[in-house]
Each structure stands twice: as structure tokens, then as C-alpha cells.
Amino acid sequence: MEEEGLKLILWILLSFAAPMCMCSTSNFTTRSIRPPFALPHSFSSQQPSSKLLGDIFGLQPPFAPWDSANEKCRADSVRFLSAVKNLEIWALKMHDATGKLASGLLNGNLNQLGDFDQCLSVQNSKYCMARAYLEPVKHNVKDDNVLELMESHRMVKSTAFDGVRFFPTFSAISWAFCVPSSCNYEDVQTSLRKLAHRYNASTEGLRIHVQVDSDSCVVRQSEGTFRKGPFITMSILVAVVVFAALGTFTDLRLKRERLEGKISVEHLPPKIDRFFLAFALTRNTTDLLKTDTAYDDINCVHGIRAIFSLIIYLIHRGVFGLFVPFTNRTELAEDFEGAWTMIFRAFLNNVDTFVVLSGLLTSYYTVKKLQAGKKVSVVMMYLTRYVKFTPIFVITVMMVKDMDYWIQSPQVIRVAQHFVNGCKNGFWKSFIYMNNFDGMDHMCYPPSHQLVTDMQMYLAAPFIILAMYKRPKLTTAGLGAVLTFLAVLRYFVIHKWHLSTFIYHGISLSQMVDAADRMYLNPLHRLTPYLAGIMLGYFLRVTGRRSLLRKDQMYAGWAISLLCGYYSFFGPSEIAERGYKYQPHDSAVFGVLQPCLWSICLCWCIYACFTGYGGLLNKFLSWRGFIVFSKLSYAFYMVQILLIFGGIATVRTPQFYKMNSVFDLNELFLLVVCSVALTLLFLLPLAHVLALVTGADVRAAEKQQANNRRCQPRSFSMVESRYLRTLNPAERPKPQPQNNLRFREGFLGFLHDQDTRKIY
């Protein structure tokens, strides 16, 4: 019985691309389907000289939906099968381009992508990608062991009824077919399901479920095809580059005129010149590379932001890298087991870090402005944040929406087309930061969830900060009650819906998406670390750099924070092992404790570094190189998924897995280059433009000129100079010291006051 089970598995896979019974026509003789292990003589040429070629191409009989209800598809399929029998080149190319069974089934090599380019090189051909799932009818130990190896120990599970395509899965079998272009996805799906029905009728062994999605079939894109979306995207990019060139030339011209004495140093250029200067690469590069900070800045946040930006990139690269069709995928699954993977499996800690930093910096710089007696404009806070984040976000979304135009490959169908469709259907929601309401599997550009939920939480931030500034005790008590309510609600939701806040071994795609929709995309469940950051920011502004704790209390605080950090990452480390069984209560307890404990750990580290008890940790996190990367981190976060998917989309054949194939240094370098370009072309220039529109650049320039005049060294008359020369050096008056305030020129001061320095 065990041997029969194994034979049945191989039979299903090998018969996946076997032909349907051919209909009787004047050119065809009806024949029954032969086992693919034998050489089907019906596909061999009658000529002895080509018998070998007939046998070679007949090792796997061709597939075509000849029994389709579509008359054109049916006629073209019969013509294709006849042409294969006669060894016509165009038909052999299509047959050869269809995916074939390869070695390494027990090592997870189940994805057969065929030859995409060869298929579409034939006129009137179509490339279709089908997904199949094997489901045991009755439990059999040996059958189950074989399936476990084929499905790479079921590291991530899914079924044909999940309908989830956002996350990679190890359960689906991807198989490519090259069929006549007159056949649509329904014709292919119907024919494959009829073939699978022969096996599904059995009460023993396995059942096979076949799915061909509406976006899984493509034809070759005609050269010179015009699409409005890519044209608009390229027009915007070209316009911004032109503005950058004009701004750079304007800056160089003004510098030359100052050197020649045509204009004074304090001369304020006309408004049109100031507009182009906003895009000047010379100025923006200088601003990007500046590493000086104000005396009251929280310098350690730059290092924290940089480190966790890299960790999140590695998580994204590792998770979405599983979409690559590796020939030894089972080996990959075995490598990513063990407690060390909790750094990635407990992913909420990494993303909650940016939530804490966002709340912290929003509160810190808003309270600083209130302490200086300035008025806080809530509308201006919203506008500044929107102008800062939206352009790069929208450009990224536009590139994703048209990815199928820029790249054509089997991986675009298998991986990226789902994201493309999400942006085509919900593109407008990205402009108003509401795309998370569509759910993780249908939203436009799902990786933007962090930006979207943070923007939604930011709407309440000014009012919470103002309330805390005016009524600190009452507001703190109210926030404590809110945090308690959120903890109870979080436990209830996780336990009731069997959600998981970590990626355990054997998790199903439906459970991951359900958890994402109910919690991950819900700003209400992300408020805990955000409120913790707001309270810390207010506390640091009020107390300043002086520590209110004794040395022994600081040591105790470090011990407690380390324990909190350890549990929030490695508390449920058994989830990373094979055989883990999900426990709703344990998952709910961890889901409640994780955001609280990690927020405590992170807030303590920031507090200790800010008050001078960080030691080597503070020196490391305050490294000037992190300050530069901190300015790039928002663009780094937004564009990384686009580049990751772009790299995956170019894969056309199965690859052999190695650890360095999951993490690509070339891709990381390209990501940094793109982040620099987007920051210089969009992020910094548009902040200049906003300052120009609101008049902040003029006020900042006037303040800078007044500051320069106050700091001018005193000039002496000729008589005074002669008298000073007669004095001993020790008796001569010392020169006036320069002003110690580090004033940020132009729009940087405006951004500083308006709290737009936070970058993910």
C-alpha cells in the first residue's frame, strides 16, 4: 500500500502535463492516454530518420485544451497537437517550452517554469502558469513522509482554497504550459481539472486541486506598446531630473556672482531662483552629508533607525526570497530552523521599533516648540508630513503598478502580478493613506503598511501631546487606562480568532493574512508602542539630560530591560522547531506582552543613552555615519520591496539555493544608490518647496543674517591696533567667541520645528 501511495504521487505529477484524449478528426486517430513512463508511439514520425526525435519529444506528451467549449481554442489545439506529431518547429517549440518534471522532487523542486521566452517567441502562443495542491484523502505514514519532503517540511502551508498570494508558500506546485493564444485561462483550468478528476474520484491516496488565475496567462507584449501609466511615471522622473539640473546650474551661477562681487553674500535670490535651488544637487548633497546635530538632539535614534532598517530589509529579503523557485528548497527550510531565527520570526519587534521612534520624535520636538513659546499648528504638522512622505510613496506605487510593463517573465505571473493588480485596483487609496482597508492580500503595495498605519496614528498625536503638555498627570493616567484596554482587547482578538503575532514553523497562509488584517494593519492594535514613544518624548523634554535615578537603579533598569528584550524575541523559541502545535492561549499571552516588553526595553535604552548612562552603546548608536543613513532610511524602506521583486521577477529558471543567494550584496548596493537618488530628488527638494510656499525660507534667511551679524568679530581702529601691538600677548583682549547655537540653514530649521525630521 505504501508503494502504491508513492507511485500515485509520481503518477499525478508526471501526468500533470499529459495530454487529454485526442478527439477523432480526419488527421487524428483517437488514442487513450499512455503512462508517461512509456514512449508514446503515436507522437513518433513515420519516417525512420526522425524516429529518435519523435521519441525524444514524445517522452512527455504535449498538452492542449482540445476539449474546450471555445471553438477557436479547440481548433487551434487540434492543429497544435497535429503539428507536434509531424515535428513542425513552431509546435515543437511550444511543446518544449512547457514545464517538464525535473529531478529533486524530495528536495522541494516542484516548480516547473518551462521556457518563457521560447514559448512567446512563437506567433499566436500563450504562456500560462497553473498552481496545484496535493491533499491526502486518507492518512498514510509513508505517503505523508514523502509529501513532507516534497513540500519542504511544510514550513509555510496553504491550500487551493486560501486564495492567498501575498506570502510565499511551500505547498503550491507551479507548472507552466504553452498553449495557443486563442485559449484563455478558463480553458486551461477546465482541461487540467478534468485530468485531475480521474485521480480525485479515488477514495484512497491523494487528491489534486488545480488553479489557473485570470492573470496567470500572458502573450508577448508588442514592441512600442503605449501605456499611459509608464509614460506618466517616466515624465515625472524626467521633470524632476531637469529641475535638479536647473537648480544645480542656478546654484553654481549664484556662487560665481558672489565671488565676482556682483551680488552680496546676504542677497536673497528671487523666488523663481529659490524654487530651482530647492532641487539643486549641490545643496541637497551638502544637506544629506551634514552630520552636525543640535545640543539637545537624541543622537542614539540614528543608530537604532539604521540597524533596524537593515534588519527589516533582511527580513523582507529572506521572506520574499522564498518566492525564488529553488531546486533544493527542502534544504533551505532545514537551514532556517532553530532559535536564532526568532530574530526574524518575531518580526513585530523590528517594526514596532519604528513606531516607538515615530511617537518619540513627534512628541519630543512638538513639546520643544511649546516650551519655546511657539504656537503649534496641527494643520501645518499634517501638511508637512504629507508632503514629506507622499511623493516617494506614490512614485514607488506607480512603478509597482506597471511592473508587468517593465518586466515580462514567469516570476511576474507567479509573484508580482498579484501586487500589480492590487495597485491597479486601489491606486487612488494610496494618495489618502487608506489602502490598508483592503486587507493585506489585496491592498496596493502591502509593504507600505508601516507608513500607512503610522500616518493614521499621527492624526491623533498632536492632540495627545497638547493634552499631556497642559494636563500631564491626568493625560498620563488616561493613557495608562488606554494601554490596559488595548492589552485586554489584544488578548481577546488573538484568542478568539486564533491569530499569531509570530511566524511559527508550519503556519498557514490563511492564518498569516488573517492576523495581518485583524491586527497588523489595524492602527488600534499598533498604538501601544506609539503611545509609549509619545510619553517618553514628553518625559525627555521635561527632565532634560539629567538622570533622576541612582546608579544602582540604573543597573537594575538595564537588567530589567534586557530581560524584557530577551523575552520579546526568544520567549516562544519553540515555535521555530518542526512539529510545533499552535496554542491559542500561549499566542495571546505573548501577543499582549510583546509590544509592552519591547517598548520598555527600547525606551529604556534611549533614556539611558540620552541621560549619559549609555556608555559604549551610546557612542556606537551616535556614530555620525548613522546620521547620514538615517536621512536615507525612509527611501530605503519604501523602495526595497520594489527592487526585491524586480530581482525575483527576472528569474526564469529554478536555481540552486545557497545562503548568499538569499541575501544579495549587489542588490543592497543598488538599494542604497536608489535611496540616495530618491532622497536628493524628492525628499529634500520638496521640503525646500514647502518652506518656499509657506515663507519659512525667508524667515530662516533673515534669522541667519541677523545671527551672522551678531557673531561678527569686532574691528579695531588704526590707533587701537597700534596700542594693542604694544601690549604683551597675555594682556591683549581675546576675540569675541562665535555663537554656540548651531543654527540649521533655510528649510532645515523649518523642518526641525515642524517635526519632519523623523524618517523610517
Side-chain angles (χ1 to χ4, degrees):
M1 182 63 187
E2 292 80 2
E3 293 181 357
E4 291 297 324
L6 178 57
K7 288 180 179 178
L8 183 56
I9 295 172
L10 297 177
W11 172 261
I12 292 174
L13 290 173
L14 287 168
S15 301
F16 202 95
M20 308 300 292
C21 296
M22 299 181 194
C23 61
S24 297
T25 65
S26 59
N27 297 327
F28 271 82
T29 303
T30 303
R31 298 180 184 271
S32 60
I33 299 179
R34 295 177 178 269
F37 306 101
L39 296 178
H41 298 291
S42 60
F43 289 97
S44 299
S45 173
Q46 301 298 324
Q47 302 176 10
S49 60
S50 58
K51 182 179 186 303
L52 177 60
L53 290 178
D55 288 346
I56 290 174
F57 284 98
L59 288 174
Q60 177 176 306
F63 168 82
W66 67 269
D67 56 348
S68 169
N70 180 350
E71 183 177 351
K72 176 64 173 172
C73 172
R74 186 169 62 249
D76 289 344
S77 297
V78 171
R79 175 171 169 263
F80 162 69
L81 294 173
S82 177
V84 171
K85 177 180 177 181
N86 295 324
L87 299 182
E88 296 184 27
I89 294 298
W90 67 270
L92 291 181
K93 283 185 175 181
M94 291 178 60
H95 174 41
D96 187 42
T98 294
K100 307 295 191 298
L101 190 68
S103 302
L105 289 177
L106 300 183
N107 210 5
N109 186 22
L110 301 182
N111 298 305
Q112 311 304 328
L113 305 184
D115 194 324
F116 179 85
D117 296 296
Q118 179 171 275
C119 173
L120 297 187
S121 67
V122 179
Q123 190 175 7
N124 298 325
S125 64
K126 179 177 289 185
Y127 180 94
C128 292
M129 183 74 72
R131 289 180 291 120
Y133 300 83
L134 300 178
E135 176 188 330
V137 178
K138 289 185 178 181
H139 178 70
N140 181 284
V141 176
K142 291 207 171 179
D143 283 1
D144 190 65
N145 290 339
V146 173
L147 274 180
E148 182 182 359
L149 290 176
M150 293 172 62
E151 296 179 359
S152 304
H153 302 300
R154 301 187 175 106
M155 184 177 175
V156 181
K157 298 183 297 187
S158 66
T159 68
F161 309 103
D162 288 339
V164 177
R165 295 176 63 186
F166 172 66
F167 295 103
T169 174
F170 288 3
S171 301
I173 304 171
S174 298
W175 206 296
F177 296 91
C178 190
V179 298
S181 59
S182 56
C183 302
N184 57 37
Y185 77 98
E186 292 178 331
D187 298 325
V188 178
Q189 179 176 261
T190 301
S191 295
L192 291 175
R193 285 181 174 177
K194 287 181 180 179
L195 175 62
H197 180 71
R198 298 177 58 236
Y199 304 102
N200 294 342
S202 172
T203 58
E204 297 182 359
L206 302 172
R207 286 180 181 172
I208 183 169
H209 300 279
V210 182
Q211 184 75 32
V212 183
D213 298 311
S214 58
D215 56 7
S216 295
C217 294
V218 298
V219 295
R220 178 166 292 280
Q221 183 173 283
S222 303
E223 294 184 5
T225 302
F226 176 81
R227 276 174 54 175
K228 183 169 63 175
F231 175 77
I232 294 175
T233 303
M234 292 304 300
S235 299
I236 294 174
L237 293 175
V238 170
V240 171
V241 171
V242 170
F243 285 160
L246 292 175
T248 303
F249 292 143
T250 301
D251 185 39
L252 296 176
R253 175 176 58 81
L254 291 175
K255 287 180 178 179
R256 186 180 67 253
E257 290 177 354
R258 289 193 184 98
L259 290 175
E260 295 174 352
K262 295 181 180 179
I263 58 176
S264 65
V265 176
E266 296 181 352
H267 172 73
L268 188 65
K271 205 164 188 178
I272 184 64
D273 284 349
R274 300 205 312 269
F275 173 79
F276 287 122
L277 286 174
F279 295 87
L281 294 178
T282 49
R283 292 193 171 195
N284 290 330
T285 302
T286 302
D287 292 335
L288 177 63
L289 297 179
K290 280 183 179 178
T291 58
D292 59 313
T293 57
Y295 71 98
D296 58 348
D297 278 356
I298 311 174
N299 295 330
C300 64
V301 301
H302 301 297
I304 294 173
R305 184 185 290 118
I307 291 171
F308 282 92
S309 292
L310 290 173
I311 291 177
I312 286 183
Y313 165 71
L314 294 178
I315 292 175
H316 285 158
R317 190 63 182 85
V319 170
F320 296 113
L322 298 179
F323 276 121
V324 176
F326 290 117
T327 58
N328 55 335
R329 199 172 51 175
T330 303
E331 182 181 341
L332 179 150
E334 293 170 352
D335 285 349
F336 283 85
E337 294 179 8
W340 73 272
T341 60
M342 291 302 299
I343 299 175
F344 308 108
R345 293 180 183 274
F347 62 95
L348 273 177
N349 292 328
N350 302 296
V351 295
D352 282 351
T353 298
F354 294 94
V355 178
V356 171
L357 295 183
S358 179
L360 164 70
L361 297 175
T362 300
S363 175
Y364 186 83
Y365 289 107
T366 304
V367 173
K368 177 183 178 181
K369 191 172 184 179
L370 291 171
Q371 288 176 330
K374 299 180 180 179
K375 184 179 179 180
V376 173
S377 172
V378 176
V379 175
M380 183 57 68
M381 289 178 67
Y382 292 160
L383 178 62
T384 305
R385 188 177 179 86
Y386 184 86
V387 170
K388 175 185 178 182
F389 288 127
T390 305
I392 292 180
F393 179 30
V394 171
I395 284 294
T396 305
V397 168
M398 293 174 70
M399 294 294 291
V400 172
K401 184 172 69 72
D402 298 310
M403 185 179 289
D404 57 342
Y405 178 84
W406 306 110
I407 305 174
Q408 270 203 320
S409 75
Q411 285 290 86
V412 170
I413 302 172
R414 183 170 173 261
V415 179
Q417 191 64 49
H418 178 68
F419 296 86
V420 171
N421 295 339
C423 285
K424 287 180 178 178
N425 298 329
F427 177 69
W428 63 273
K429 296 180 182 178
S430 302
F431 285 93
I432 56 175
Y433 293 89
M434 293 180 62
N435 51 333
N436 58 330
F437 293 142
D438 291 332
M440 182 64 79
D441 200 47
H442 300 285
M443 69 180 292
C444 176
Y445 202 49
S448 66
H449 61 83
Q450 182 71 18
L451 173 65
V452 174
T453 53
D454 189 85
M455 182 68 77
Q456 293 168 355
M457 291 186 291
Y458 186 82
L459 296 177
F463 304 102
I464 297 174
I465 296 168
L466 289 172
M468 180 170 286
Y469 185 75
K470 295 180 179 180
R471 299 284 184 88
K473 293 183 179 180
L474 181 61
T475 305
T476 302
L479 292 180
V482 171
L483 291 174
T484 303
F485 169 75
L486 292 176
V488 175
L489 179 64
R490 194 178 180 91
Y491 180 90
F492 174 77
V493 171
I494 294 175
H495 194 277
K496 179 181 180 181
W497 301 103
H498 290 193
L499 307 180
S500 176
T501 57
F502 43 73
I503 303 176
Y504 63 85
H505 195 285
I507 192 172
S508 66
L509 286 189
S510 58
Q511 189 178 22
M512 293 174 68
V513 172
D514 200 23
D517 293 346
R518 296 182 184 276
M519 298 190 65
Y520 201 42
L521 299 182
N522 190 339
L524 186 65
H525 290 292
R526 308 297 301 280
L527 271 177
T528 298
Y530 194 75
L531 294 179
I534 286 179
M535 290 189 288
L536 176 63
Y538 171 80
F539 184 75
L540 294 182
R541 272 309 319 173
V542 172
T543 60
R545 292 189 179 275
R546 67 182 187 277
S547 175
L548 304 179
L549 303 177
R550 300 188 308 271
K551 185 172 289 188
D552 58 332
Q553 292 174 329
M554 295 295 296
Y555 289 144
W558 274 113
I560 293 173
S561 68
L562 291 176
L563 288 175
C564 291
Y566 177 83
Y567 178 81
S568 60
F569 270 105
F570 300 100
S573 57
E574 67 276 5
I575 70 170
E577 303 294 341
R578 245 179 284 167
Y580 171 77
K581 300 298 182 183
Y582 174 80
Q583 302 295 330
H585 173 72
D586 295 344
S587 179
V589 170
F590 180 77
V592 171
L593 294 178
Q594 174 268 323
C596 300
L597 297 182
W598 179 244
S599 297
I600 291 173
C601 175
L602 187 61
C603 288
W604 175 264
C605 292
I606 295 172
Y607 172 77
C609 291
F610 186 74
T611 55
Y613 285 90
L616 292 177
L617 178 63
N618 184 45
K619 290 183 179 179
F620 171 69
L621 295 177
S622 302
W623 177 52
R624 292 184 178 273
F626 288 146
I627 298 176
V628 177
F629 186 84
S630 181
K631 300 174 186 178
L632 300 174
S633 56
Y634 172 60
F636 185 86
Y637 170 76
M638 287 306 302
V639 78
Q640 62 183 247
I641 300 297
L642 179 62
L643 293 184
I644 290 172
F645 279 151
I648 294 173
T650 58
V651 175
R652 280 172 156 71
T653 57
Q655 299 181 355
F656 184 80
Y657 153 76
K658 294 180 293 185
M659 183 63 75
N660 61 354
S661 62
V662 178
F663 307 113
D664 190 350
L665 293 179
N666 294 325
E667 180 184 271
L668 181 59
F669 174 76
L670 180 60
L671 175 57
V672 172
V673 171
C674 292
S675 302
V676 171
L678 289 175
T679 302
L680 293 178
L681 294 176
F682 289 94
L683 189 64
L684 297 178
L686 290 174
H688 279 283
V689 172
L690 181 61
L692 177 66
V693 172
T694 58
D697 65 325
V698 177
R699 295 191 296 272
E702 292 173 349
K703 186 176 180 180
Q704 176 65 32
Q705 292 171 9
N707 183 68
N708 290 339
R709 285 192 293 270
R710 288 197 303 270
C711 296
Q712 288 291 333
R714 180 187 172 190
S715 59
F716 299 101
S717 66
M718 184 179 300
V719 176
E720 289 174 327
S721 299
R722 290 176 180 175
Y723 171 74
L724 290 176
R725 293 195 196 100
T726 63
L727 299 177
N728 295 326
E731 298 176 350
R732 294 176 185 174
K734 296 180 180 179
Q736 293 293 329
Q738 295 290 329
N739 195 329
N740 289 326
L741 289 177
R742 297 178 181 177
F743 180 77
R744 295 174 177 270
E745 293 185 25
F747 81 101
L748 288 179
F750 171 74
L751 293 182
H752 189 80
D753 291 338
Q754 293 299 329
D755 184 33
T756 58
R757 299 177 65 257
K758 306 183 301 299
I759 301 180
Y760 283 88

